Amino acid sequence: MDTLIHHISAWDRLPLQVRQWHVAPDAEPEVGPGAQPDGGPVPQSNPGLDTRPNAQPNAGSGAHRPAGRHHPPPPILCLPGLVRTGADFETLAAEIGHDRRVVTLDYPGRGDSGRSRDVNRYAPEACLRDVMDVCAALHVHRAVIIGTSFGGLLAMGLAAARPALVHAVVLNDIGPDIAGDGADFVRDFVGHDPALPSLEAGAALLRASLPPMSLHTDAAWRRMAELTYRAGPDGLWHPNWDTAIAQLLNRPPPDLWPIFGALAHLPVLLVRGAVSNILLPGTVSRMQAVHPDMEVVSLPGIGHAPILTEPPALAAIQNFLARNP
């Protein structure tokens, strides 16, 4: 699988790490230099784009343009959860990126993107601006957005703020109402640094504390730990995010139903963990009332949030992409 790592200076010069998978040489988007998806100028921060690959392409990549296609299909923009990183989508990208660009990023304060002394730099509004910067820098427009949890809320925000960026949306276990019990767990998890002695201890902690997930082997849990913790200079393993992000979760939640309404005229697929403590059945019913054409796939025995390579979820996403070329 081809992986390109880009480094972009955000609007305030904070460094952002961006991943891009399955880029076929003849499948670059047809957007003129210096143009945003809405036709405006590229922000001054974006000349900081470094397009040199950090990883060499692997032989045998499935990247290609289907026969008879005159224009590349819309790219896929994957937006991770609140303190997750773009690396979460690596396995999914290998399954769905054969004829499309797949782009994702680490938000500020997460993964390999920069840290800030101001916790407000990690707020949803700032992250939304970062996503728009990345789309402008990489000429992403009319994207199919796959948003997990917090990333799904950003997808709604993009549809409201920059409708030309959004072609279709996959929401992963998120809606306009967030259940209180799930929100309390997330706040505690995000704000706690367990300072673990080893990666194996991290895998054990995740296995014991996370909601039910479709991770069935020791190797799968170890990989989840690798994506969640990183070794510090003290030799211990710490969260791969700034734990100050938890402070944002103490604020009263806004009314998110108006921005969900921005998806009313777009194709939408909702993937839900059937035992999710974040997205409750009543919220799904109300979402379907607002958007009757929204497809819903429920994964039995799975909590927040699906990893999207579960067979029913992956099949639904592949079919959704095929119907929205």
Side-chain angles (χ1 to χ4, degrees):
M1 183 174 63
D2 298 357
T3 303
L4 298 176
I5 303 295
H6 303 288
H7 297 99
I8 294 177
S9 293
W11 45 274
D12 60 352
R13 301 296 179 180
L14 201 68
L16 302 177
Q17 176 160 292
V18 180
R19 291 174 179 83
Q20 189 169 209
W21 289 291
H22 295 298
V23 183
D26 60 348
E28 290 300 323
E30 297 177 3
V31 178
Q36 284 195 72
D38 64 358
V42 172
Q44 289 301 308
S45 60
N46 288 329
L49 172 65
D50 178 0
T51 58
R52 293 172 296 175
N54 265 14
Q56 294 298 318
N58 295 330
S61 166
H64 66 281
R65 180 184 293 185
R69 187 187 292 279
H70 299 293
H71 299 285
I76 299 170
L77 176 63
C78 293
L79 301 178
L82 178 65
V83 292
R84 305 301 303 176
T85 72
D88 282 353
F89 294 102
E90 183 174 19
T91 303
L92 178 65
E95 298 288 345
I96 65 175
H98 299 298
D99 63 344
R100 299 175 186 251
R101 289 196 299 157
V102 181
V103 177
T104 187
L105 75 154
D106 297 353
Y107 310 124
R110 294 83 159 175
D112 290 318
S113 288
R115 299 324 192 234
S116 174
R117 295 179 180 178
D118 181 5
V119 70
N120 292 308
R121 182 59 183 85
Y122 305 147
E125 299 82 1
C127 291
L128 186 65
R129 186 172 176 180
D130 291 322
V131 173
M132 291 190 288
D133 259 13
V134 167
C135 289
L138 294 185
H139 295 188
V140 172
H141 66 118
R142 293 187 65 251
V144 177
I145 302 178
I146 300 177
T148 292
S149 193
F150 176 75
L153 299 180
L154 293 183
M156 298 179 203
L158 283 175
R162 292 285 177 86
L165 277 177
V166 186
H167 179 63
V169 173
V170 178
L171 298 175
N172 184 15
D173 210 60
I174 194 64
D177 284 338
I178 299 172
D181 289 348
D184 290 342
F185 170 82
V186 170
R187 184 185 303 108
D188 293 342
F189 182 82
V190 170
H192 177 59
D193 179 356
L196 297 158
S198 66
L199 195 59
E200 288 72 23
L205 177 62
L206 294 176
R207 202 167 196 160
S209 59
L210 289 182
M213 300 189 71
S214 54
L215 303 175
H216 305 299
T217 66
D218 291 343
W221 281 105
R222 180 182 173 86
R223 179 57 180 158
M224 176 61 74
E226 291 173 346
L227 295 171
T228 305
Y229 304 109
R230 64 169 54 187
D234 57 0
L236 301 177
W237 290 77
H238 302 277
N240 197 18
W241 61 84
D242 187 338
T243 56
I245 293 170
Q247 298 174 28
L248 299 172
L249 303 179
N250 294 322
R251 301 174 180 179
D255 180 4
L256 299 173
W257 285 99
I259 65 167
F260 175 71
L263 304 182
H265 302 294
L266 292 170
V268 177
L269 168 65
L270 174 65
V271 178
R272 177 178 181 264
V275 295
S276 172
N277 60 356
I278 291 289
L279 179 61
L280 301 184
T283 303
V284 176
S285 296
R286 185 175 171 187
M287 292 168 72
Q288 290 176 302
V290 173
H291 197 317
D293 295 329
M294 182 181 71
E295 302 174 50
V296 180
V297 175
S298 184
L299 305 181
I302 302 299
H304 185 80
I307 60 174
L308 299 181
T309 53
E310 299 90 351
L314 180 58
I317 292 170
Q318 290 172 325
N319 290 333
F320 184 75
L321 292 172
R323 291 193 304 273
N324 294 283

